[in-house]
């Protein structure tokens, strides 16, 4: 089958969510009816409307892969990933280099994910928005915006508007390939969640709960010249579980009576990153009520506690373990 390459424009955050394709940047001239693909997605345009997205598994990055990029300029980097047929938590680890923060957002089943944590968050590592506001995790005040969260070192600021940013698509196995088009990238303070030192490895959890939806989309936004980033994505699997007492408002010791789940963090500067092996949450781990990572435990700004084995209190706030201390036997 012959394949023709061309430049097209769409009216959504990515190809999977667009409602139509156009041949001009003003979105006034519809592209011809037919089949169109972008990496891991194939869609038919019929009567000027894009029909449901279908996966093209041979085109997409397979889960379990590690991706690296090093560009002298700016860029918007798009990649589609084949998550296969298993359900569970899909964990993405991302390292954004030594000095330049980049934005990241993942879309699965038309839902965007943009919250991230890192090892030692709240235990020596402090995550701040660009204006200096300390937050429990990167993207805390960016939830519901469908915008990327910028992570990495706070040595440079991504806040503002950058024009002429080159668009790239990941073509497996060749890497990111330029599309010959550009875009404008804008960011505000609440989209930023960076650290004071070189970038740690950041952790994002994407729940895959629909067997038939096997594609997810990972986008990196790099509006600062000289970007370097590496990320890896695991195939969906159940999160590790642990036993604890019921969620409670004080430190009173209680016996285990419930099952919870958590996502491990990782370290390193090259893929594959070294994933932690802890069997109960450490400070800086996301904590969930389900093995797919769809529901954060105590996703509120008021701290609550889980007591482990009638001895140890885990402080949970905004779905994150923020403290560990002894419980109170009295």
């Amino acid at each position: 089958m012959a394949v023709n390459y061309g430049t097209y424009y769409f009216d959504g955050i990515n190809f999977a969510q667009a409602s139509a394709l156009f041949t001009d940047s003003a979105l006034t001239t519809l592209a011809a009816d037919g089949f169109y693909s972008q990496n891991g997605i194939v869609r038919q345009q019929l009567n000027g409307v894009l029909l449901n997205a279908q996966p093209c598994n041979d085109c997409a990055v397979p889960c379990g892969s590690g991706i690296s990029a090093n560009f002298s300029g700016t860029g918007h980097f798009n990649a589609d990933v084949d998550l296969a047929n298993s359900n569970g938590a899909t964990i993405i680890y991302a390292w954004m280099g030594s000095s330049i923060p980049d934005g990241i957002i993942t879309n699965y089943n038309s839902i965007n994910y943009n919250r991230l944590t890192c090892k030692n968050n709240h235990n020596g590592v402090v995550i701040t928005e660009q204006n200096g506001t300390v937050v429990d995790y990167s993207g805390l005040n960016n939830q519901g915006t469908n915008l990327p969260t910028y992570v990495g070192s706070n040595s440079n600021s991504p806040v503002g508007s950058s024009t002429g940013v080159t668009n790239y698509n990941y073509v497996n196995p060749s890497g990111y390939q330029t599309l010959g088009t550009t875009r404008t990238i804008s960011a505000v303070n609440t989209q930023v969640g960076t650290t004071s030192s070189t970038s740690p490895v950041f952790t994002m959890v994407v729940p895959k709960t629909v067997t038939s939806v096997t594609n997810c989309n990972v986008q990196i936004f790099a509006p600062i010249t000289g970007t370097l980033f590496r990320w890896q994505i695991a195939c969906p699997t159940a999160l590790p579980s642990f036993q604890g007492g019921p969620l409670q408002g004080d430190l009173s010791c209680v016996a285990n009576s419930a099952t919870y789940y958590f996502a491990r963090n990782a370290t390193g500067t090259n893929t594959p990153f070294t994933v932690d092996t802890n069997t109960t949450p450490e400070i800086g781990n996301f904590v969930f009520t389900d093995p797919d990572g769809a529901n954060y435990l105590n996703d509120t700004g008021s701290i609550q506690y889980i007591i482990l084995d009638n001895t140890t209190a885990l402080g949970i706030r905004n779905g994150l373990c923020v403290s560990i201390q002894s419980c109170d036997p009295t």
Side-chain angles (χ1 to χ4, degrees):
M1 180 179 66
V3 178
N4 295 317
Y5 294 92
T7 300
Y8 300 94
Y9 304 84
F10 50 76
D11 57 351
I13 190 172
N14 55 45
F15 180 56
Q17 295 177 289
S19 60
L21 280 183
F22 302 84
T23 59
D24 64 311
S25 60
L27 306 183
T28 58
T29 305
L30 287 165
D33 285 352
F35 288 89
Y36 296 85
S37 67
Q38 186 185 73
N39 291 343
I41 296 176
V42 175
R43 301 186 69 180
Q44 181 184 6
Q45 181 143 299
L46 181 64
N47 298 323
V49 177
L50 283 170
L51 304 184
N52 290 340
Q54 301 295 325
C56 173
N57 293 340
D58 291 337
C59 307
V61 177
C63 62
S65 297
I67 306 299
S68 297
N70 188 350
F71 288 82
S72 59
T74 60
H76 168 257
F77 300 89
N78 182 82
D80 291 296
V81 181
D82 176 19
L83 298 179
N85 294 319
S86 298
N87 289 342
T90 299
I91 299 182
I92 299 172
Y93 296 112
W95 178 77
M96 297 304 188
S98 60
S99 60
I100 297 176
D102 292 318
I104 182 170
I105 190 168
T106 300
N107 181 274
Y108 172 73
N109 197 27
S110 299
I111 299 175
N112 289 306
Y113 298 89
N114 60 2
R115 69 166 73 184
L116 305 99
T117 186
C118 65
K119 187 174 179 65
N120 293 324
N121 178 19
H122 283 277
N123 190 28
V125 173
V126 179
I127 293 177
T128 61
E129 296 178 344
Q130 193 58 49
N131 61 3
T133 300
V134 177
V135 288
D136 279 342
Y137 62 82
S138 302
L140 175 65
N141 295 312
N142 195 31
Q143 297 307 290
T145 66
N146 296 320
L147 298 172
T149 296
Y150 286 81
V151 295
S153 169
N154 65 7
S155 300
N156 288 274
S157 172
V159 170
S161 182
S162 299
T163 61
V165 177
T166 303
N167 290 313
Y168 296 88
N169 268 340
Y170 196 91
V171 179
N172 190 45
S174 302
Y176 287 107
Q177 307 294 312
T178 180
L179 294 176
T181 59
T182 62
R183 67 166 59 198
T184 297
I185 293 178
S186 298
V188 297
N189 287 328
T190 52
Q191 287 180 249
V192 178
T194 52
T195 62
S196 60
S197 60
T198 181
S199 176
V201 175
F202 285 85
T203 305
M204 174 187 288
V205 179
V206 177
K208 183 181 182 299
T209 56
V210 183
T211 302
S212 60
V213 180
T214 61
N215 180 270
C216 83
N217 174 261
V218 179
Q219 297 182 61
I220 305 291
F221 292 73
I224 301 174
T225 298
T227 185
L228 166 66
F229 61 83
R230 300 184 180 109
W231 59 274
Q232 70 185 42
I233 183 166
C235 295
T237 190
L239 291 168
S241 64
F242 67 99
Q243 300 296 306
L247 196 66
Q248 60 186 51
D250 59 39
L251 297 172
S252 301
C253 295
V254 296
N256 295 342
S257 60
T259 301
Y260 305 97
Y261 306 86
F262 71 102
R264 297 183 175 105
N265 290 321
T267 57
T269 57
N270 288 290
T271 60
F273 300 116
T274 301
V275 179
D276 291 341
T277 58
N278 49 305
T279 56
T280 57
E282 296 179 346
I283 297 175
N285 286 152
F286 284 133
V287 184
F288 302 88
T289 60
D290 65 288
D292 297 333
N295 299 286
Y296 287 87
L297 179 67
N298 188 34
D299 199 10
T300 75
S302 299
I303 194 168
Q304 297 277 298
Y305 298 93
I306 298 172
I307 309 302
L308 303 184
D309 301 322
N310 217 10
T311 60
T312 305
L314 304 183
I316 311 296
R317 186 176 62 218
N318 289 313
L320 186 82
C321 180
V322 298
S323 68
I324 298 178
Q325 60 191 302
S326 298
C327 67
D328 183 359
T330 62

